Amino acid sequence: MKYTAFHEKQFHGLVNKALQSVRKILDVNRNPRIAEDMNHTYDDKYALVEFLTNTAIAAQINILERMGLSETKLKRLIEIVQNENRTITLCFEAEDSCMFLKEQMVDVIQHESGMESSKTTTTGASSLFYGSSSSQQQTNMRQQVVQKVREYHWKVTCQYRVYCYDVNDPLKNHNSIDLLARSASTTITTTGSRESPFPSHTKHSPIFHDFTWILRQMKEGEDDGQRRTCCFEIDRLKSGCFTPRRNDEIDDAIYFFDTLSSWFSKIRSHFTNHIEGTILAKHDPASSVNEKVAPELKSIFDAQIFTPVLPLMEPNNGNNIDNTTNTQGISRSLLVLCTNQNSSSPLLSLGDIEFFLNEQRRSIGEAMTTLTAVFPSHQLMKLVTVAEASLVLFSSSVVTLFNQYQQSIEYIEEMLRSQLVTAIGKEINPEDFNRFVSFHNRKIFAPQFRPTSFSYTVRRPNHYPDGVIAIESKISDTGKTEPINTHTCYIPGDEKDAMMIPINSSTTLEMTGDRYLHGWMNHRFESSSIGSYTLTARARQFSSFMLLVGVLGGANVFEPKDAIIVQNKDEILIPLLLKELPSAKEFKDSISSLSPEQQRFAKAFRGMQLESSVFAVCVIQLKPQLEALLGLPENALTKEIKLTQDLLSLFVHYQIPSDLLSFDGPEDFSKVNKLHAVKKHVATVMEVISETKKSELEEMEQRAHLEKNKLEAEKRFEEVRKRVSATQGTNLNPTLAIPGGQMHHPLSAALSKAVPLPEDIAAAASVELVGGDDKVMDEVSESISRSNHAYASSSPSPPSVFQPEGLDRGTVTTIKKGEEGAIDFTNIPKQLDSLFEEKNSDDSVRATTIETQLPWLRLRQEGLLSNAGNFQKKKPIATKMDDELCGYENDKALDLLDALSRSGTLPLKYAELHVVVAMTHCFENDVMGTVIQDNVNPIEKVERSIFMLANTIHGTNNTDTTMDQMISEGPHRQRILNAVNDTPLLTNTCNSDDTTSEKGEITVTESLQEDVGVVQEQAKEDPVQQDLSTSNDDTAESSEITLQQDLQQKKLLGQYKKKNFTC
């Protein structure tokens, strides 16, 4: 779930600690427990939330009372807010000043050493006349090293003020109420430099907090003797109220306490960081003076203060009644709680909460007594006294109060989650919800209207399937895949106009096969992605078919974007990308402030998005199409495996025209004879191809041999030239050419007929050999002649190009048919968009486009023996098909399609077109959060959306379909009818000749008021209805008659809807 801030371990630790104090406060016979351990109702959770909020308000006022908020001041603040309708702000202001006092020199002892000495003196002697005396003296001597240090004394004055003021009073003096203020100064001693440690005057930025909300939650007593009460309540009838936790009132309360906690935290930071951590830290006298050191402010926490906000309950056995007499002798708090709880409520009584609040006040007083014992009195001129320590303590207590209040509120929501998980046995995720919806749809829909899996076999009637196509979703928790469920409308191909398929700029095919319209309602929750979906095509062994994937380009135009041939246990996985378009309401809201031109542009573009992105898949069976192309009877190629493979190879790899292979004899020939003729044509073409391959192979060998001879001739010619040059020496003269350019030497003839040679060799060969060796020249001439003869004999003749007669490749074949009865699938998304805009108040259903994305994945078996016999089963070879490989496969498939259709002249009868219109029901939370936090039953929401989608899909080709017929019998029937009875059924706006379908609007023949009027008129004319009306005066049978009247009106209304609102 989102938005949760609950920390279970921390919360239970706080509650267990607080329960120890609660047992001391209440009587020994009392045993309050945490809410989850008590039996209670859902309304008790609302009452508990209100109870906790009122307790938190009273506890907050107790803290502010210690800061100076008296009863008179609180009363005045409430009057300003409630009677004068003004806003009160809580403000903390602080400023500092620094002034130089004096400069003085002090002696600082750097080193000290000590000495000891003793002296003894004796006088007189022992005699009778004279006495005797003696004395002893001891002296201690210490030696000190003293350094003169210059000290600078500064007077630092700090003052702060906490007060409330009226925001509408700019001078803050008319309705300003002081809570706490103090000014104190101290002497700061520094050494080393006379530079001031602080600015002469600093005024800190005020810290503000809106205090209005808490004052609006209080109510003054009607009499003077009555105390004011906390009266926080949740408006459960408000549209924004979903659960005890998710409502506007609790959101405002949490925001108030959160911002107030932040306000106090900033005050604490001012004293701990600025006063103590910055100002007092600068005090560094040269001569140390023994002073009593108080604890640091940052060490103060509120661990001993009792926080009364606890989600406790207790069985109502009479011991927890409101007993306010127990609070006598204890000082009264400024607020008491009001309650609307009934006598059977398990909540604690007001007397118990009064005990808790007084315990809080007592613990605060005890904590302040502890601070008084260790901090100086606030009357002394000290920057840190018990006043500042108390303010730090209050700040910590407010933070704890907010944390415990927030955790208690979040605990109630967590308790709802825990109870739901306990009831179901697990935490529901999107996959669980999808499985439930699939199960649920089988129950609520009549058998003929139930969603079916998008998994279709490619087969002819009474034949084994050639393969399977499916749109599958991947289940994240198991990793398995399963087909999606769609509402499907079947349109036989012979009942509607042909679908045109343009495969290039000059060829458009005609598809006359069956069509399927699929309506897919997808679900997406906040924590999950839109899902992982693939279009999967699987072929059987020795079977094949063609898969075309694209979009609809009009009422009867299918534009293929990708194509591939699937054969011999191939498995093709094509990833699908789902893109959600903004809902109709979001689109309207977005363009509402645009100019008319901008709005028209946006509407036109959105219309294009809805119409031109309708996803479609076309499956073409190759064997029956080959039979039609070659003039063979049906099922002729069923068992001809090799012939089928050869035919596909000829069309795909060699681009053989079908006229060379098709049967062109009499139609009354038997199946065997026709098949034999085609086999003979195939064998002939295969023989020609084999001979051509053999000829090409020989040609390649000859070219290699010729290349070898040329290299040898060049080598020998170079040797001859060197020998001639060595023999003739300087008698070599340039060739004397005749005006025609012919050489005089017999070698010139051979050179002129030889194959082209490099320029340096030709130049060497074109010299006149004067007095040369004729034997050498004859040898060269013979060598070149042999090379020339070999080259001439190896040059093949240019191949002949086959051009069928009567076929003009430069023209486009146009097939015209009447538009009557044509179904425009591209209008379906616009109809659904308008329908959900009108009937879906929560704006949660969005039109969704489907596109293919790269890379594709092809799984192919290594061979027939890979999984046969005792061989170890091997995984198929996986090949990622990138853009280049997909383009290659697309070209192969379209070339074959061009051949199978005879370039558009032969209709594709053995094909199926699957059109998928997708919508996505989006939830802003996850499954558990939708149920617990949003208080929404996603099952009912999806039910309504699915029936609206199914109504549109099934009404496309059957105008007699009604909503009553789609819902199965059972206890759910009336509930679903009540949920969708305000949804008018669509008229047949799918035909391309319907003007309303072009605008994408929903046609409704009558308004709801007119429907009711017609029903009432029919009821007056109905004798049964009249009898029921006249017998309505009988009070004993009034309830039964009313029920019969309702049933009769529903019957008439259903007949009227069937007549006027059918699709």
Side-chain angles (χ1 to χ4, degrees):
M1 298 188 298
K2 62 178 182 179
Y3 310 136
T4 182
F6 181 70
H7 304 284
E8 183 176 4
K9 187 176 180 180
Q10 176 186 356
F11 172 76
H12 284 285
L14 293 174
V15 171
N16 292 334
K17 180 180 177 181
L19 280 174
Q20 298 177 3
S21 300
V22 168
R23 294 188 181 96
K24 298 178 183 178
I25 298 171
L26 301 179
D27 296 337
V28 294
N29 296 327
R30 305 288 298 278
N31 185 26
R33 288 175 288 176
I34 194 167
E36 64 183 10
D37 296 335
M38 292 293 303
N39 293 327
H40 60 276
T41 64
Y42 187 69
D43 288 338
D44 290 334
K45 289 183 171 66
Y46 273 100
L48 180 59
V49 169
E50 296 172 345
F51 196 69
L52 292 172
T53 305
N54 284 319
T55 304
I57 293 173
Q60 185 63 62
I61 296 300
N62 281 348
I63 298 175
L64 293 174
E65 182 182 5
R66 290 286 185 170
M67 294 176 57
L69 181 64
S70 63
E71 185 170 354
T72 304
K73 294 177 181 179
L74 180 59
K75 183 177 181 180
R76 175 57 187 153
L77 292 174
I78 295 175
E79 291 176 353
I80 295 174
V81 171
Q82 297 185 4
N83 299 338
E84 302 176 15
N85 197 23
R86 294 176 177 271
T87 301
I88 294 296
T89 296
L90 195 60
C91 181
F92 173 82
E93 291 181 348
E95 56 183 66
D96 310 329
S97 63
C98 182
M99 183 178 63
F100 179 73
L101 291 179
K102 63 180 180 179
E103 175 184 340
Q104 68 178 15
M105 299 292 294
V106 296
D107 295 336
V108 179
I109 300 175
Q110 298 294 328
H111 179 70
E112 183 178 6
S113 59
M115 300 177 60
E116 293 186 0
S117 62
S118 61
K119 182 180 180 181
T120 303
T121 304
T122 303
T123 60
S126 177
S127 65
L128 296 174
F129 304 98
Y130 303 96
S132 62
S133 63
S134 63
S135 63
Q136 185 175 0
Q137 182 180 0
Q138 184 174 357
T139 304
N140 294 328
M141 300 179 62
R142 292 186 178 275
Q143 183 178 4
Q144 296 179 340
V145 178
V146 179
Q147 180 183 3
K148 296 290 185 179
V149 178
R150 193 181 302 274
E151 286 185 341
Y152 305 95
H153 295 258
W154 309 86
K155 180 182 179 181
V156 179
T157 302
C158 298
Q159 56 184 0
Y160 59 88
R161 179 189 177 203
V162 180
Y163 64 97
C164 298
Y165 72 94
D166 183 1
V167 175
N168 300 320
D169 181 13
L171 299 179
K172 303 180 183 179
N173 52 14
H174 178 63
N175 288 324
S176 178
I177 299 176
D178 287 337
L179 299 183
L180 185 64
R182 187 172 183 269
S183 177
S185 60
T186 189
T187 300
I188 300 297
T189 304
T190 62
T191 58
S193 175
R194 190 176 174 177
E195 182 181 358
S196 176
F198 309 107
S200 59
H201 184 268
T202 302
K203 187 172 184 179
H204 301 277
S205 300
I207 306 174
F208 300 105
H209 174 69
D210 189 354
F211 201 62
T212 307
W213 179 87
I214 195 172
L215 297 174
R216 293 192 182 278
Q217 312 307 318
M218 303 176 191
K219 183 179 179 181
E220 290 287 347
E222 297 179 359
D223 300 331
D224 294 339
Q226 292 183 349
R227 300 163 64 185
R228 65 184 57 84
T229 58
C230 304
C231 54
F232 173 84
E233 290 182 349
I234 298 175
D235 186 0
R236 307 184 192 183
L237 301 178
K238 195 175 180 180
S239 60
C241 180
F242 303 109
T243 66
R245 166 61 183 89
R246 304 296 165 179
N247 54 78
D248 296 338
E249 289 79 11
I250 288 298
D251 289 341
D252 293 341
I254 291 179
Y255 176 78
F256 172 82
F257 285 110
D258 187 13
T259 53
L260 182 63
S261 171
S262 177
W263 185 79
F264 272 98
S265 296
K266 293 177 182 178
I267 294 177
R268 178 186 174 94
S269 177
H270 173 78
F271 288 105
T272 57
N273 296 338
H274 178 67
I275 300 297
E276 188 177 59
T278 302
I279 295 179
L280 295 182
K282 288 288 185 180
H283 182 59
D284 186 23
S287 56
S288 59
V289 180
N290 293 329
E291 296 181 354
K292 182 180 179 181
V293 179
E296 294 182 344
L297 292 176
K298 62 182 179 182
S299 64
I300 299 176
F301 292 98
D302 62 323
Q304 65 184 100
I305 296 179
F306 177 74
T307 304
V309 181
L310 298 169
L312 301 180
M313 291 183 178
E314 186 179 16
N316 195 338
N317 52 13
N319 294 330
N320 55 342
I321 60 174
D322 185 5
N323 187 3
T324 56
T325 58
N326 292 338
T327 63
Q328 294 180 358
I330 303 177
S331 59
R332 300 198 315 172
S333 59
L334 297 179
L335 288 176
V336 294
L337 273 65
C338 67
T339 180
N340 296 323
Q341 66 189 59
N342 53 43
S343 58
S344 61
S345 175
L347 299 182
L348 299 180
S349 66
L350 298 183
D352 296 335
I353 298 303
E354 189 76 11
F355 279 129
F356 291 172
L357 293 174
N358 285 326
E359 174 62 18
Q360 180 202 19
R361 300 175 75 225
R362 185 201 64 79
S363 61
I364 292 176
E366 183 178 324
M368 293 182 65
T369 302
T370 303
L371 295 179
T372 304
V374 295
F375 282 92
S377 172
H378 68 280
Q379 298 177 353
L380 300 177
M381 293 303 292
K382 299 281 189 179
L383 294 186
V384 177
T385 64
V386 68
E388 288 71 31
S390 299
L391 198 52
V392 172
L393 175 68
F394 299 151
S395 301
S396 180
S397 181
V398 169
V399 173
T400 301
L401 176 63
F402 163 67
N403 290 334
Q404 190 155 327
Y405 169 72
Q406 184 186 32
Q407 290 296 302
S408 298
I409 298 298
E410 301 292 350
Y411 161 74
I412 296 175
E413 186 171 83
E414 176 64 19
M415 182 168 53
L416 287 171
R417 189 200 68 82
S418 178
Q419 291 174 340
L420 185 61
V421 171
T422 302
I424 299 176
K426 65 175 298 185
E427 189 161 343
I428 305 300
N429 56 34
E431 284 78 12
D432 297 328
F433 183 78
N434 288 336
R435 282 192 287 267
F436 172 81
V437 170
S438 300
F439 165 79
H440 190 59
N441 286 339
R442 292 194 294 269
K443 296 178 57 179
I444 62 177
F445 279 95
Q448 64 271 28
F449 298 105
R450 288 173 184 168
T452 57
S453 299
F454 192 99
S455 179
Y456 292 88
T457 57
V458 183
R459 68 190 305 170
R460 287 181 288 174
N462 302 321
H463 284 70
Y464 192 77
D466 291 336
V468 178
I469 65 164
I471 296 181
E472 299 176 332
S473 63
K474 185 176 181 180
I475 304 175
S476 58
D477 52 358
T478 62
K480 297 181 179 179
T481 58
E482 59 182 19
I484 64 172
N485 292 324
T486 62
H487 289 272
T488 305
C489 179
Y490 168 66
I491 301 100
D494 54 359
E495 295 182 4
K496 301 298 178 181
D497 291 345
M499 185 69 67
M500 312 309 294
I501 306 177
I503 59 174
N504 54 50
S505 58
S506 61
T507 305
T508 299
L509 312 183
E510 179 182 2
M511 197 276 294
T512 60
D514 298 337
R515 272 147 274 187
Y516 297 84
L517 175 62
H518 303 272
W520 178 23
M521 180 61 70
N522 191 28
H523 320 110
R524 180 179 61 80
F525 291 88
E526 182 271 340
S527 62
S528 63
S529 61
I530 201 170
S532 176
Y533 301 97
T534 56
L535 173 62
T536 304
R538 303 180 181 91
R540 305 285 185 177
Q541 187 66 57
F542 301 125
S543 300
S544 59
F545 61 90
M546 185 182 298
L547 183 69
L548 303 179
V549 183
V551 297
L552 297 185
N556 60 343
V557 178
F558 168 61
E559 299 177 351
K561 303 297 183 182
D562 301 286
I564 191 171
I565 302 172
V566 188
Q567 59 182 341
N568 296 332
K569 298 186 70 174
D570 282 354
E571 183 173 359
I572 308 298
L573 304 178
I574 305 175
L576 298 180
L577 178 63
L578 274 61
K579 295 182 179 179
E580 299 172 5
L581 300 180
S583 65
K585 185 176 182 303
E586 291 174 340
F587 175 75
K588 266 191 173 181
D589 295 341
S590 299
I591 68 172
S592 59
S593 59
L594 299 180
S595 67
E597 292 78 10
Q598 294 167 345
Q599 289 186 7
R600 290 196 297 270
F601 172 80
K603 290 178 180 178
F605 200 86
R606 179 175 175 83
M608 181 274 296
Q609 287 179 314
L610 293 173
E611 291 186 20
S612 65
S613 57
V614 178
F615 184 73
V617 178
C618 184
V619 181
I620 302 174
Q621 301 181 43
L622 299 183
K623 281 187 179 181
Q625 191 64 30
L626 282 172
E627 293 169 352
L629 175 67
L630 301 176
L632 297 175
E634 292 186 1
N635 304 324
L637 296 178
T638 301
K639 296 179 175 60
E640 300 294 335
I641 299 175
K642 184 179 184 305
L643 178 59
T644 304
Q645 297 289 339
D646 290 342
L647 288 170
L648 292 178
S649 177
L650 292 176
F651 286 131
V652 173
H653 299 293
Y654 301 106
Q655 307 288 313
I656 301 299
S658 59
D659 292 345
L660 298 180
L661 304 174
S662 60
F663 172 76
D664 50 3
E667 290 294 333
D668 56 351
F669 270 36
S670 64
K671 172 182 175 182
V672 176
N673 292 333
K674 290 182 178 180
L675 194 59
H676 177 74
V678 171
K679 287 182 179 180
K680 185 177 180 181
H681 297 330
V682 171
T684 301
V685 175
M686 295 295 290
E687 183 180 357
V688 172
I689 293 175
S690 178
E691 292 178 355
T692 304
K693 288 182 178 180
K694 182 178 179 181
S695 174
E696 290 178 354
L697 183 59
E698 293 176 353
E699 179 183 350
M700 293 175 62
E701 293 177 352
Q702 291 175 0
R703 287 181 179 273
H705 182 68
L706 174 61
E707 188 70 21
K708 180 179 179 181
N709 290 341
K710 287 173 61 177
L711 294 175
E712 292 179 355
E714 292 170 2
K715 182 178 179 181
R716 294 181 61 187
F717 186 83
E718 182 66 19
E719 293 176 355
V720 171
R721 188 184 65 81
K722 291 180 179 180
R723 289 165 55 190
V724 170
S725 298
T727 303
Q728 299 296 331
T730 58
N731 294 328
L732 287 174
N733 295 322
T735 301
L736 299 176
I738 62 176
Q742 297 294 331
M743 298 181 183
H744 292 287
H745 195 276
L747 182 61
S748 61
L751 290 174
S752 62
K753 297 180 181 180
V755 294
L757 298 176
E759 295 181 358
D760 54 346
I761 301 178
S766 62
V767 297
E768 178 69 26
L769 302 179
V770 180
D773 189 351
D774 292 339
K775 182 178 180 180
V776 174
M777 300 311 299
D778 293 341
E779 186 178 353
V780 173
S781 299
E782 184 180 358
S783 175
I784 296 177
S785 298
R786 287 198 305 269
S787 300
N788 188 28
H789 176 73
Y791 179 79
S793 62
S794 64
S795 299
S797 59
S800 60
V801 179
F802 174 78
Q803 296 182 353
E805 297 181 0
L807 180 62
D808 186 5
R809 302 282 296 190
T811 63
V812 178
T813 304
T814 304
I815 302 175
K816 296 183 179 180
K817 269 193 131 178
E819 293 295 328
E820 184 178 359
I823 297 179
D824 190 355
F825 295 121
T826 61
N827 271 337
I828 303 298
K830 296 179 68 175
Q831 295 178 24
L832 290 171
D833 197 52
S834 301
L835 179 63
F836 284 111
E837 177 188 4
E838 179 183 358
K839 298 301 179 181
N840 190 30
S841 58
D842 55 1
D843 193 34
S844 57
V845 181
R846 292 176 172 85
T848 305
T849 63
I850 306 176
E851 300 176 358
T852 61
Q853 58 180 345
L854 296 174
W856 295 9
L857 183 65
R858 177 169 60 192
L859 304 178
R860 175 168 288 178
Q861 298 289 343
E862 293 184 4
L864 291 177
L865 298 179
S866 58
N867 295 327
N870 296 324
F871 289 86
Q872 183 180 2
K873 187 173 183 179
K874 297 181 180 180
K875 293 183 179 180
I877 300 175
T879 304
K880 284 189 176 182
M881 303 178 62
D882 56 7
D883 189 20
E884 181 179 0
L885 184 54
C886 287
Y888 171 73
E889 293 292 340
N890 181 77
D891 293 340
K892 283 175 50 178
L894 294 184
D895 288 342
L896 176 61
L897 190 59
D898 182 77
L900 293 178
S901 64
R902 204 177 287 123
S903 292
T905 60
L906 181 65
L908 302 176
K909 180 181 178 181
Y910 305 96
E912 293 178 352
L913 181 68
H914 296 267
V915 180
V916 183
V917 177
M919 306 292 290
T920 301
H921 199 126
C922 305
F923 295 93
E924 297 181 357
N925 211 331
D926 59 14
V927 182
M928 300 298 290
T930 301
V931 178
I932 296 169
Q933 296 178 330
D934 301 336
N935 198 28
V936 171
N937 184 355
I939 298 174
E940 296 176 355
K941 292 289 185 180
V942 171
E943 269 181 358
R944 191 168 185 268
S945 301
I946 288 180
F947 271 99
M948 294 168 68
L949 174 67
N951 176 43
T952 304
I953 298 299
H954 292 294
T956 301
N957 197 44
N958 185 7
T959 58
D960 295 332
T961 303
T962 63
M963 190 69 73
D964 282 347
Q965 296 174 350
M966 295 171 58
I967 306 175
S968 63
E969 296 294 337
H972 57 273
R973 180 178 178 84
Q974 190 59 45
R975 173 178 56 81
I976 297 177
L977 284 174
N978 293 337
V980 299
N981 60 1
D982 60 338
T983 305
L985 301 182
L986 303 179
T987 59
N988 189 14
T989 59
C990 306
N991 292 339
S992 60
D993 56 347
D994 195 338
T995 57
T996 57
S997 65
E998 297 177 357
K999 299 180 181 179
E1001 298 177 351
I1002 301 175
T1003 303
V1004 181
T1005 59
E1006 301 291 338
S1007 64
L1008 183 60
Q1009 291 81 3
E1010 293 173 345
D1011 296 342
V1012 176
V1014 172
V1015 172
Q1016 292 176 350
E1017 291 296 330
Q1018 293 183 3
K1020 291 180 181 179
E1021 299 175 0
D1022 192 350
V1024 178
Q1025 183 69 18
Q1026 293 177 359
D1027 294 341
L1028 292 174
S1029 301
T1030 56
S1031 61
N1032 193 33
D1033 295 334
D1034 191 352
T1035 57
E1037 300 177 356
S1038 60
S1039 59
E1040 181 180 358
I1041 292 174
T1042 302
L1043 177 61
Q1044 293 177 355
Q1045 289 176 341
D1046 292 340
L1047 295 175
Q1048 184 67 17
Q1049 288 182 356
K1050 290 176 181 178
K1051 179 179 179 181
L1052 294 174
L1053 182 60
Q1055 294 174 355
Y1056 183 71
K1057 284 186 175 181
K1058 181 176 180 180
K1059 180 179 179 181
N1060 296 277
F1061 292 87
T1062 55
C1063 179

